Amino acid sequence: MNACAVLTRERERERKWGLVERETAMASFSLLLITALLLAVSSAVESCPPADRAALLAFKAALHEPYLGIFNSWTGADCCHNWYGVSCDPTTRRVADINLRGESEDPIFQKAHRTGFMTGFISPAICRLSRLSSITIADWKGISGPIPPCISKLPFLRILDLIGNKISGEIPTEIGRLSRLSVLNVADNNIGGTIPRSVTNLSSLMHLDLRNNRLSGTIPRNIGKLRMLSRALLSRNRLTGSIPISISYIYRLADLDLSFNRISGPIPASLGKMAVLATLNLDGNLISGTIPPTLINSSISILNLSRNAIEGTIPDVFGLKSYFMEIDLAHNLLKGPIPKSITSAAYIGHLDVSHNHLCGPIPEGEPFVHLEASSFVFNDCLCGRPLRAC
């Protein structure tokens, strides 16, 4: 083979290798481009929607938290990742939970050696987070303004916890639209108005806490529709009217606290027939009538009827079903003796019958051997241990 032919073959080989290298380079570039596009698409899919992010930032703009810096983490495009107090649905990436508590064991609180304080108001922008399952904005002490009425339009909301702020206005009238709501807690605020009648449509409600507000009007008559309710805490408001009999229809109710209101009328005897009612606080009202005997032989273990206008005698029906951690009948208009059957109760931890018109000897034995004189003072003519001898 002559030199010219050899040279021609070498050039052809170099040309082919050059084509291969260019094709390889182009393939590598294409692969990198596809990978970059896939990463971009994946990042977009895993991030929260821009609309949710914008709603959170509008919500944040209405609040001022000067000490802990809990909103410092609310930066970047992905509000589902490391935004303090924000959680997203793992499938849809929509914002599902806002959990901001002013009292917590979180390191941010421990480092600051203080509880939280926040001012401002709850922006209606929160309602643009249409997949919210829980809203907890609790114990910040300074958040004021009303509850946005549009919260009633969040169809997936299960928890609304706004305890411990200065929220005013009224409970949204259409709150009953929240068919999945299991917790409604707006205690320790400045909320006025009445309890919306639509509350009784909250068929999933288990925990109702309206304590320490300025609520007036009556308890909804058909509150018994709340068949899932286990706690109804309505104390320290300005509620009037009588105790609805329908409360006794709530089979699961364990705690009922209506204390320090302006409730009047008698105590429904049906309350003593409730299957799991363990705590009944009716103290500090205008309740009249007599003590239903059903309350004495019931599942109730904490019974506080003090500071009312209850008349008649203490029912003489104590027995083995009577198990009281506390029974407080002080500051009423009770008369007659302390019933002897009280010594047959299964247990009585604390008894207070002071400030009544009781008369006669205090029974001997339990529970009286461990009670102090203060439990019996300011009656007409009680005698015996721990008071003076008869």
Side-chain angles (χ1 to χ4, degrees):
M1 183 178 298
N2 58 34
C4 184
V6 171
L7 181 60
T8 299
R9 184 176 295 176
E10 289 296 327
R11 287 177 177 174
E12 182 66 21
R13 185 180 298 171
E14 289 175 0
R15 187 183 68 81
K16 290 180 177 180
W17 275 110
L19 288 172
V20 171
E21 288 176 352
R22 282 197 298 274
E23 290 175 355
T24 302
M26 290 180 66
S28 298
F29 176 77
S30 298
L31 182 61
L32 289 172
L33 182 61
I34 292 170
T35 302
L37 289 172
L38 288 173
L39 287 173
V41 171
S42 175
S43 177
V45 170
E46 291 181 359
S47 299
C48 69
D52 280 13
R53 180 180 182 275
L56 284 173
L57 292 178
F59 163 76
K60 168 191 170 184
L63 298 169
H64 177 58
E65 190 281 297
Y67 301 113
L68 301 173
I70 66 164
F71 290 129
N72 291 344
S73 63
W74 287 31
T75 59
D78 187 7
C79 60
C80 295
H81 183 64
N82 289 338
W83 281 39
Y84 186 89
V86 176
S87 301
C88 296
D89 184 280
T91 303
T92 65
R93 306 305 294 171
R94 296 293 306 277
V95 174
D97 304 292
I98 295 176
N99 186 7
L100 300 174
R101 292 192 178 276
E103 297 179 2
S104 171
E105 295 182 357
D106 189 276
I108 196 172
F109 291 83
Q110 295 180 351
K111 184 178 180 180
H113 300 291
R114 61 166 297 139
T115 57
F117 180 77
M118 191 186 299
T119 57
F121 62 95
I122 300 173
S123 169
I126 199 172
C127 302
R128 305 205 307 255
L129 301 168
S130 59
R131 299 291 298 192
L132 273 176
S133 175
S134 69
I135 299 173
T136 299
I137 307 169
D139 298 314
W140 291 102
K141 305 174 185 67
I143 296 177
S144 57
I147 302 171
C150 59
I151 278 181
S152 299
K153 299 179 181 179
L154 295 174
F156 299 97
L157 197 64
R158 297 178 184 275
I159 296 173
L160 180 59
D161 186 351
L162 306 177
I163 187 174
N165 291 291
K166 290 184 178 179
I167 294 170
S168 57
E170 300 183 3
I171 299 172
T173 56
E174 297 186 358
I175 193 84
R177 296 175 58 177
L178 300 176
S179 60
R180 304 187 186 197
L181 197 69
S182 61
V183 174
L184 175 57
N185 186 353
V186 295
D188 302 330
N189 281 287
N190 297 321
I191 296 171
T194 61
I195 301 174
R197 296 299 180 257
S198 71
V199 162
T200 61
N201 295 327
L202 298 173
S203 56
S204 299
L205 196 65
M206 300 174 67
H207 180 99
L208 176 64
D209 193 345
L210 309 179
R211 292 173 296 171
N212 296 316
N213 278 289
R214 299 175 181 177
L215 293 166
S216 58
T218 61
I219 301 170
R221 293 179 62 86
N222 59 343
I223 193 172
K225 289 173 58 180
L226 301 176
R227 298 300 174 89
M228 300 297 291
L229 198 64
S230 62
R231 303 190 77 198
L233 310 177
L234 312 180
S235 64
R236 297 187 183 278
N237 280 286
R238 301 167 183 175
L239 299 174
T240 56
S242 59
I243 302 171
I245 294 177
S246 70
I247 286 180
S248 59
Y249 304 160
I250 308 175
Y251 178 84
R252 299 170 181 264
L253 192 64
D255 298 315
L256 177 61
D257 189 350
L258 306 179
S259 60
F260 294 99
N261 280 285
R262 299 168 185 173
I263 294 171
S264 57
I267 303 170
S270 55
L271 294 183
K273 299 178 182 179
M274 297 178 68
V276 296
L277 187 64
T279 300
L280 179 60
N281 288 329
L282 303 178
D283 48 308
N285 280 288
L286 305 172
I287 293 171
S288 57
T290 60
I291 300 174
T294 54
L295 297 185
I296 304 303
N297 272 311
S298 66
S299 61
I300 298 171
S301 61
I302 295 177
L303 177 64
N304 193 338
L305 308 180
S306 66
R307 300 181 186 278
N308 281 288
I310 299 173
E311 302 175 312
T313 60
I314 301 173
D316 193 6
V317 293
F318 288 85
L320 293 179
K321 288 184 64 178
S322 307
Y323 188 102
F324 290 100
M325 301 293 293
E326 174 186 343
I327 179 169
D328 193 341
L329 309 177
H331 293 272
N332 277 291
L333 305 174
L334 296 169
K335 61 184 180 180
I338 296 175
K340 292 182 179 180
S341 65
I342 199 169
T343 59
S344 63
Y347 177 77
I348 294 181
H350 175 73
L351 171 71
D352 192 344
V353 295
S354 63
H355 297 270
N356 278 287
H357 298 290
L358 300 175
C359 191
I362 297 172
E364 297 180 356
E366 290 289 347
F368 304 100
V369 294
H370 67 265
L371 295 176
E372 298 181 357
S374 58
S375 294
F376 305 96
V377 296
F378 296 102
N379 276 286
D380 287 359
C381 49
L382 280 181
C383 58
R385 184 178 178 181
L387 299 180
R388 60 178 177 82
C390 293

